[in-house]
Amino acid sequence: MEFSREKRLKARLAGDRRGDLYPHSLQFYLQPPTENISLAEFENFAIDRLKLLKVVENLGVSYVKGSDEYKSRLEREIRKLKFPFRALVEDDYDARRKDHISHFILRLAYCQSEDLRRWFIQQEMDLFRYRFNELNGDLVEKFLKYVNLSYGAISKEVKEKLAVQLLNSTPGLSGAKVEELEFYKVPLQDAMDLFRVRRVYLLNAFAYVPQTDIVAIVLNNFRTKLSKALALTARSLPAVQSDERLQPLLNHLSHSYVGPDYTIQKNIGKISLEHIDALSVKSFPLCMRQLHKALRDNHHLRHGGRMQYGLFLKGIGLTLEQALQFWKSEFIKGKVDADKFDKGYAYSIRHNYGKEGKRTDYTPFSCMKIILSNPPSPGDYHGCPFRHSDPELLKQKLQSYKIPPTGITQILELVKGMHYQLACQKYFQLTQDVDDIGFSLNHPNQYFAESQKLLSGGREVKKEPSEPESSQQKLSSQKSTNSCSIPISSNTEADTELEGLDAYFTED
């Protein structure tokens, strides 16, 4: 049975008690949803939550977590995607329902490997931290009771009696601050992290934790429960994957892409072959710049490189005739004569453009497809340089492209944290000379389009006159647990069809 909006509205008018399902805008996601939903709603909920978690990751690297800018941008995104954003909003059943169901859907998609679990836990924790910190004292107590954490706030009399001890044992507090803050009585075993760094007052095996630090204890509890839940979900995943309706969705959710597929070429025929060398320096992402240079140097690319670069060129506007001319003129400078090119390579290029075989209009590769599939072997030049290059070789490449030392350090820090797409965003900022790119980078053709907008004056350059701290400080102040950038998508059919294209590119 599918619960449509109309049916849910009728249930509300009939006086149902749906509010009992979600009495709080925040939860530990302890009970899975039991209602039936349509496949369309299943996919839409999952994609929206992935978009939100991707924003959480980007903001966590770009801004200091908890800063006003971080909070305002995150709230804006939460509101736009219609998730719960204010704990005091009473009539937000639909938002709370979406939050609950979408979390459990992503558990199914992100329990499949250690890397995916690590990324999912980190982003969910950051989202939870933001929401928890938005609660006032009364709502904090209600939430703790809701999730069965018996951390009661101490009375005013007890706080006055222990005021000196609380002040001396809690760094950064003044006497006035002690009076204003709520303190919670927490069993010592739950506050060991704070105890180790001497941030709490201990009495009779209980820690007296200020409201500003209680989030660390609640987060640790949330992380433990979520980590165990993901492990249990992974065990039961085979039963879920046996459903032929869900298996394709789950397989693509964890590393797919939502956005323009760049098959509709607005600039088709406007790219001149004579300009490609200049464009590769000004507007190509590093992966495509690397492929272009390898092609010019070696007059050849192996099949992985031809697929990745050929579809990218198609996406920026090269016509079929231009593509045939471009590849042929380069290959015949090497060991391939014109006749061999026409017999061995021209068919695959026409197939690329949907003129042969199944006549499928193949789409350029997204960042995540490049990062997760078909890693390069020795002699290959495809793939993501931030993901597949040795850090020292990547550093040398960036130096050769005149990236400043501080920028190289920032990029390598992001690579070390497995934030490959964020490293590419930093490369965009440095090469295009902007401080705030204003978008989340998920596709090489998106990189090219945004660069061309900047160079043509079609988008305002966002340069900030002054910053409270450098990007390097932001990175060093909040290195998150290793995680990889996971963009989002629903274009599963194109990915399936693309698998058949490999056969046409196997000749080296």
Side-chain angles (χ1 to χ4, degrees):
M1 173 179 174
E2 180 186 337
F3 287 88
S4 67
R5 178 176 295 275
E6 183 179 353
K7 290 178 180 178
R8 291 197 299 271
L9 181 58
K10 287 180 179 179
R12 178 183 301 174
L13 295 175
D16 73 322
R17 301 184 61 189
R18 298 176 314 152
D20 294 345
L21 292 174
Y22 309 115
H24 207 284
S25 61
L26 192 62
Q27 58 170 308
F28 273 179
Y29 307 102
L30 300 177
Q31 298 296 326
T34 55
E35 65 176 291
N36 297 323
I37 63 172
S38 67
L39 284 175
E41 194 172 32
F42 181 97
E43 185 172 15
N44 289 336
F45 279 10
I47 288 172
D48 280 353
R49 193 174 193 92
L50 272 176
K51 289 179 179 178
L52 178 59
L53 295 185
K54 181 63 181 174
V55 169
V56 169
E57 182 188 30
N58 286 342
L59 292 178
V61 174
S62 304
Y63 301 94
V64 175
K65 294 175 184 177
S67 66
D68 291 341
E69 185 70 14
Y70 174 88
K71 291 192 291 186
S72 65
R73 287 174 179 262
L74 184 51
E75 179 177 329
R76 192 184 314 137
E77 194 66 25
I78 290 173
R79 295 181 67 168
K80 184 171 73 173
L81 293 172
K82 298 182 180 178
F83 285 99
F85 66 92
R86 283 292 185 209
L88 295 177
V89 174
E90 295 178 359
D91 190 20
D92 64 347
Y93 170 82
D94 288 335
R96 296 183 185 192
R97 171 179 174 270
K98 179 179 181 178
D99 177 61
H100 182 225
I101 294 174
S102 64
H103 171 88
F104 277 92
I105 295 173
L106 289 200
R107 275 194 192 179
L108 294 173
Y110 278 79
C111 69
Q112 301 179 55
S113 74
E114 183 60 33
D115 283 344
L116 292 175
R117 287 193 291 270
R118 186 186 302 119
W119 184 87
F120 180 67
I121 290 172
Q122 183 61 52
Q123 310 323 316
E124 286 285 347
M125 283 181 64
D126 286 346
L127 179 60
F128 183 94
R129 181 190 293 109
Y130 162 77
R131 287 171 163 173
F132 186 87
N133 285 334
E134 292 296 297
L135 303 179
N136 61 32
D138 290 340
L139 287 173
V140 168
E141 282 204 59
K142 289 180 181 178
F143 173 74
L144 294 177
K145 188 179 294 185
Y146 172 55
V147 294
N148 296 318
L149 293 178
S150 54
Y151 307 152
I154 64 175
S155 66
K156 185 177 180 180
E157 291 75 19
V158 173
K159 186 162 59 172
E160 288 176 354
K161 182 180 178 181
L162 300 176
V164 175
Q165 293 91 326
L166 294 175
L167 177 62
N168 293 335
S169 60
T170 310
L173 289 188
S174 63
K177 195 77 172 177
V178 169
E179 292 182 12
E180 296 172 5
L181 276 180
E182 292 283 2
F183 280 79
Y184 297 86
K185 190 177 178 180
V186 177
L188 177 58
Q189 65 267 24
D190 291 348
M192 289 303 297
D193 289 342
L194 294 173
F195 169 67
R196 289 190 189 98
V197 293
R198 302 185 178 186
R199 290 187 59 89
V200 291
Y201 172 63
L202 297 182
L203 179 65
N204 298 330
F206 283 94
Y208 289 77
V209 182
Q211 184 177 336
T212 51
D213 287 334
I214 194 71
V215 62
I217 296 174
V218 178
L219 264 177
N220 187 55
N221 202 293
F222 176 61
R223 181 189 182 94
T224 301
K225 286 178 166 53
L226 181 54
S227 181
K228 290 180 180 178
L230 285 170
L232 290 173
T233 305
R235 265 187 242 166
S236 60
L237 193 61
V240 178
Q241 289 179 326
S242 64
D243 189 326
E244 61 183 14
R245 300 168 303 166
L246 296 182
Q247 184 179 10
L249 291 174
L250 295 177
N251 286 345
H252 286 272
L253 272 174
S254 59
H255 58 272
S256 46
Y257 164 76
V258 163
D261 60 13
Y262 298 97
T263 52
I264 301 174
Q265 303 156 36
K266 295 179 181 178
N267 296 322
I268 190 164
K270 294 183 180 179
I271 301 296
S272 169
L273 295 182
E274 291 75 26
H275 294 155
I276 289 182
D277 286 334
L279 288 172
S280 71
V281 175
K282 294 178 180 178
S283 295
F284 280 18
L286 189 58
C287 56
M288 300 305 168
R289 187 173 181 179
Q290 173 177 278
L291 283 165
H292 181 77
K293 186 176 186 304
L295 178 61
R296 290 301 198 205
D297 290 346
N298 305 320
H299 313 300
H300 188 270
L301 283 177
R302 297 173 70 177
H303 76 276
R306 297 198 300 274
M307 287 179 67
Q308 182 174 321
Y309 190 39
L311 289 171
F312 170 79
L313 292 175
K314 174 189 175 188
I316 69 173
L318 239 62
T319 64
L320 173 59
E321 293 73 22
Q322 286 178 310
L324 288 168
Q325 180 184 345
F326 172 76
W327 288 101
K328 184 173 184 177
S329 64
E330 199 59 49
F331 271 46
I332 62 176
K333 295 176 184 176
K335 300 179 180 179
V336 177
D337 59 33
D339 186 57
K340 183 178 180 181
F341 179 88
D342 291 338
K343 291 180 179 178
Y345 296 94
Y347 177 88
S348 62
I349 296 172
R350 292 195 299 273
H351 190 277
N352 219 359
Y353 279 76
K355 302 301 181 183
E356 302 286 356
K358 293 189 295 183
R359 301 187 181 276
T360 301
D361 190 13
Y362 294 103
T363 61
F365 290 179
S366 68
C367 290
M368 195 45 57
K369 184 168 183 65
I370 293 170
I371 289 170
L372 291 181
S373 61
N374 190 24
S377 302
D380 286 331
Y381 294 92
H382 66 274
C384 171
F386 302 107
R387 169 66 179 88
H388 299 116
S389 293
D390 176 82
E392 188 57 36
L393 294 177
L394 176 60
K395 180 179 179 180
Q396 294 174 15
K397 187 185 296 292
L398 295 172
Q399 288 172 338
S400 70
Y401 292 159
K402 309 301 182 186
I403 304 298
T406 54
I408 293 175
T409 301
Q410 291 167 6
I411 288 174
L412 293 178
E413 282 291 327
L414 289 166
V415 169
K416 184 178 179 181
M418 300 172 68
H419 297 282
Y420 308 120
Q421 289 165 253
L422 298 180
C424 193
Q425 285 186 196
K426 176 57 66 174
Y427 176 78
F428 183 98
Q429 287 178 247
L430 295 167
T431 55
Q432 308 296 319
D433 193 27
V434 293
D435 289 329
D436 182 1
I437 66 175
F439 62 90
S440 179
L441 184 61
N442 293 314
H443 202 293
N445 290 81
Q446 178 193 16
Y447 184 110
F448 177 83
E450 294 292 342
S451 172
Q452 286 293 289
K453 284 182 189 177
L454 281 172
L455 294 174
S456 64
R459 184 164 75 85
E460 182 182 353
V461 178
K462 295 184 179 180
K463 291 190 71 70
E464 300 175 7
S466 61
E467 293 185 353
E469 61 179 339
S470 67
S471 299
Q472 180 59 32
Q473 286 173 318
K474 291 173 185 172
L475 287 171
S476 61
S477 68
Q478 52 179 330
K479 287 183 186 175
S480 60
T481 305
N482 283 354
S483 58
C484 60
S485 301
I486 311 287
I488 31 187
S489 162
S490 60
N491 195 358
T492 58
E493 183 180 351
D495 281 343
T496 304
E497 291 174 337
L498 199 53
E499 293 172 1
L501 192 58
D502 282 330
Y504 296 102
F505 284 89
T506 53
E507 183 176 352
D508 288 332

